[in-house]
Amino acid sequence: MDKLKVKNNPRSLINITDLSVAEIDHLIETANDIIENPEAYQEICAHKKLATLFFEPSTRTRLSFTAAMQELGGDVLGFSEAASSSAAKGESVADTVQIVSLYADIIAMRHPKEGAPLVASRHSNVPVINAGDGGHFHPTQTLTDLLTISRKKGGLNNFTIGLCGDLKFGRTVHSLIEALMRYTGVKFILIAPPELRLPKYMKEKMNAAGAEWAEYEKLEDAMPDLDVLYMTRVQKERFFNEEDYVRLRDSYILTLDRLKPAKKDMIIMHPLPRVNEIAVEVDNDPRACYFYQAHCGKYIREALILFLLGLK
Amino acid sequence: MNIDGLNNGIVLDHITAGKGMQIYEMLKLDKLDCTVAIIQNATSSKLGRKDIIKLDTVIDLNYDMIAFVDSNVTIDIIKDGRVCEKRSVKLPETLKNIISCHNPRCITSTEQGIDQIFHLVDPDRRIYRCAYCDTEYSEK
């Protein structure tokens, strides 16, 4: 038998909906166990290699994947921008991934083109993790969010989450909604200006899933009901004119004053990076957990790597 | 060709009036070396008006493509002057290399050699989304 022959059709993660609720719960359970017992996992990926193929720059996602693999005892190879890869010479995603999958045991890939990781997964002999494809999917951010909510609120059922800011183009929001609407008793409060409201097809998905949701224009109006407040960036390039941008941007800045009507045990989340949508003064409020959230990202990625490699 | 009566061939009947040329073009019927007749705005008891395409030979047709353009179409296979098979078409769950994604951010805009795949997400409104970027297909 040819020892160079490799296994085909490995399991990949392209969209959060590729995972069942039971699998997500399993990943959360594993991540919690890694947090509690890190020493039990520190050699589990010895002699395994993660390739980080980042065709566009990223700080936290790439470093989070790198740290995750290193904490599991594995090695990391790859590149952090398209200019330092063969893509600069015009190589296709399919060819790049076919080659890399001969050298690594698992791939984390970020690409500016939507659907690139799906193409990669179809040409790879090892699992491919979508680490962000343009404005499309970012499933490991969603897993990060789910682990954070689960740890802070004691589970993923029966709570009210406010999603605030750019709900039209925000990929993190869409994926989080898709994941949470499969749990029970999650109520969604959508807080956005008319220009940046959640797309109709997403609302139709929520209705089809029987999810309860309401739409608000002002953050203050929604605040008292929330158990989780998920802030996103309102980006200037989404607006037709500067005046609208400035007016709306300022109404979605979270300050200590705006937090006054909020519940004492509400948690504030943000996928980061933030620009000015959460005032720095909020960082010291016990409800702020966006840095905690970024920390959770490393552990859930460890759990995901183990899951896709079939380890543990 | 006698367009009233075919001895052997295919009749695409009950085409929504105005869609005959679109089906003709998408199926690339102009590339065939057989006789092809397009009848536009024919009187129909069922539809009021309809288009009809007749081919004087039996060939393999892309039924998914026909259904995507117009799922009202019925296909009659004629042999020895008689209808030997009558088929209707159904909106396909997946379209492969029939339409292209217009999203400039989609991987299909740059990656060579990959299939253009769309999935039917809303049969009632005939909405298809790109398998790669999820963008809804529109003809614009």
Side-chain angles (χ1 to χ4, degrees):
Chain A
M1 189 180 162
D2 189 347
K3 287 191 175 178
L4 282 182
K5 207 164 186 179
V6 285
K7 187 183 157 220
N8 283 315
N9 302 320
R11 181 86 186 264
S12 289
L13 177 65
I14 305 303
N15 183 7
I16 192 68
T17 53
D18 295 344
L19 295 168
S20 67
V21 170
E23 287 169 337
I24 289 173
D25 292 344
H26 166 77
L27 290 175
I28 290 172
E29 194 183 314
T30 306
N32 284 329
D33 195 49
I34 295 170
I35 293 168
E36 292 302 316
N37 306 294
E39 63 289 340
Y41 293 86
Q42 59 195 12
E43 295 297 329
I44 199 166
C45 281
H47 312 297
K48 298 282 183 193
K49 293 182 286 291
L50 165 74
T52 54
L53 310 186
F54 278 61
F55 291 84
E56 66 175 6
S58 152
T59 309
R60 82 204 73 249
T61 305
R62 187 171 60 83
L63 293 181
S64 174
F65 269 112
T66 301
M69 193 56 171
Q70 287 171 343
E71 291 198 3
L72 295 170
D75 289 321
V76 181
L77 62 157
F79 51 83
S80 57
E81 54 180 334
S84 56
S85 78
S86 52
K89 297 175 193 163
E91 188 176 51
S92 67
V93 167
D95 282 3
T96 302
V97 165
Q98 275 193 73
I99 299 302
V100 172
S101 70
L102 300 174
Y103 305 149
D105 299 286
I106 187 165
I107 293 170
M109 176 181 177
R110 171 165 287 194
H111 199 285
K113 290 287 183 182
E114 298 171 8
L118 179 63
V119 172
S121 71
R122 289 178 177 172
H123 291 86
S124 174
N125 290 305
V126 300
V128 174
I129 301 171
N130 181 1
D133 56 339
H136 192 215
F137 296 141
H138 194 0
T140 60
Q141 178 64 52
T142 309
L143 287 173
T144 298
D145 299 340
L146 296 175
L147 175 62
T148 307
I149 296 170
S150 168
R151 285 180 66 83
K152 286 288 185 183
K153 305 309 287 182
L156 292 170
N157 297 306
N158 304 315
F159 65 91
T160 300
I161 181 167
L163 300 144
C164 176
D166 179 359
L167 308 188
K168 186 174 181 181
F169 300 100
R171 63 183 176 187
T172 55
V173 167
H174 298 182
S175 293
L176 185 56
I177 291 173
E178 288 216 60
L180 284 175
M181 69 189 188
R182 297 193 287 173
Y183 288 85
T184 55
V186 181
K187 185 177 176 183
F188 299 91
I189 307 285
L190 312 171
I191 309 150
E195 297 88 335
L196 297 175
R197 280 189 185 147
L198 194 73
K200 195 175 159 209
Y201 77 89
M202 281 299 302
K203 290 176 183 167
E204 286 169 355
K205 278 188 186 181
M206 291 163 79
N207 289 338
E212 194 181 342
W213 61 272
E215 210 160 38
Y216 286 81
E217 205 165 317
K218 287 185 178 170
L219 182 54
E220 295 88 320
D221 295 342
M223 195 69 88
D225 298 326
L226 306 180
D227 300 305
V228 177
L229 172 59
Y230 196 98
M231 297 292 294
T232 63
R233 235 174 341 139
V234 175
Q235 295 178 63
K236 192 176 176 177
E237 57 269 28
R238 308 294 189 206
F239 291 89
F240 292 114
N241 64 66
E242 177 96 14
E243 196 179 87
D244 281 352
Y245 166 68
V246 171
R247 174 176 55 83
L248 294 165
R249 177 199 65 188
D250 291 347
S251 60
Y252 294 98
I253 293 176
L254 187 64
T255 60
L256 284 177
D257 195 46
R258 283 207 169 100
L259 266 177
K260 277 179 185 164
K263 290 178 184 173
K264 296 292 174 215
D265 64 346
M266 185 188 81
I267 60 168
I268 305 159
M269 298 173 67
H270 191 298
L272 303 177
R274 69 170 155 181
V275 180
N276 63 351
E277 54 278 4
I278 300 178
V280 176
E281 65 182 16
V282 176
D283 294 359
N284 293 324
D285 189 287
R287 291 168 286 194
C289 73
Y290 26 93
F291 295 115
Y292 178 93
Q293 186 182 350
H295 199 180
C296 283
K298 182 182 68 177
Y299 296 105
I300 200 73
R301 287 181 177 101
E302 288 183 38
L304 180 63
I305 289 168
L306 293 179
F307 174 72
L308 293 176
L309 287 176
L311 297 172
K312 199 203 170 201
Chain B
M1 180 174 70
N2 176 358
I3 59 170
D4 291 328
L6 272 176
N7 201 32
N8 289 297
I10 301 174
V11 178
L12 304 183
D13 201 358
H14 303 110
I15 302 171
T16 303
K19 290 194 171 177
M21 276 311 289
Q22 197 183 343
I23 290 176
Y24 175 86
E25 284 164 7
M26 285 190 80
L27 291 175
K28 295 188 169 59
L29 299 182
D30 58 321
K31 306 289 184 214
L32 297 178
D33 55 8
C34 65
T35 310
V36 180
I38 304 176
I39 303 161
Q40 292 182 299
N41 269 329
T43 309
S44 162
S45 54
K46 191 170 146 192
L47 301 170
R49 294 279 170 186
K50 66 177 180 179
D51 291 355
I52 305 166
I53 297 176
K54 295 188 177 190
L55 312 172
D56 76 346
T57 188
V58 178
I59 55 163
D60 285 334
L61 292 174
N62 187 331
Y63 292 121
D64 285 352
M65 194 177 276
I66 296 168
F68 172 70
V69 177
D70 186 1
S71 48
N72 289 321
V73 176
T74 54
I75 297 153
D76 299 336
I77 311 292
I78 315 289
K79 277 189 183 162
D80 301 325
R82 296 173 60 185
V83 177
C84 70
E85 190 185 339
K86 209 173 182 69
R87 300 183 60 148
S88 57
V89 291
K90 190 171 153 253
L91 212 52
E93 289 294 320
T94 300
L95 296 175
K96 190 172 170 185
N97 296 328
I98 290 175
I99 49 176
S100 301
C101 185
H102 298 317
N103 174 12
R105 298 179 303 278
C106 179
I107 186 66
T108 57
S109 69
T110 52
E111 184 87 352
Q112 299 295 311
I114 55 172
D115 291 324
Q116 292 273 355
I117 299 170
F118 282 76
H119 296 303
L120 181 65
V121 293
D122 188 336
D124 295 336
R125 289 186 291 163
R126 302 170 60 90
I127 293 175
Y128 282 88
R129 286 189 182 277
C130 172
Y132 301 96
C133 70
D134 287 290
T135 298
E136 186 179 321
Y137 177 75
S138 69
E139 288 181 5
K140 288 171 200 168

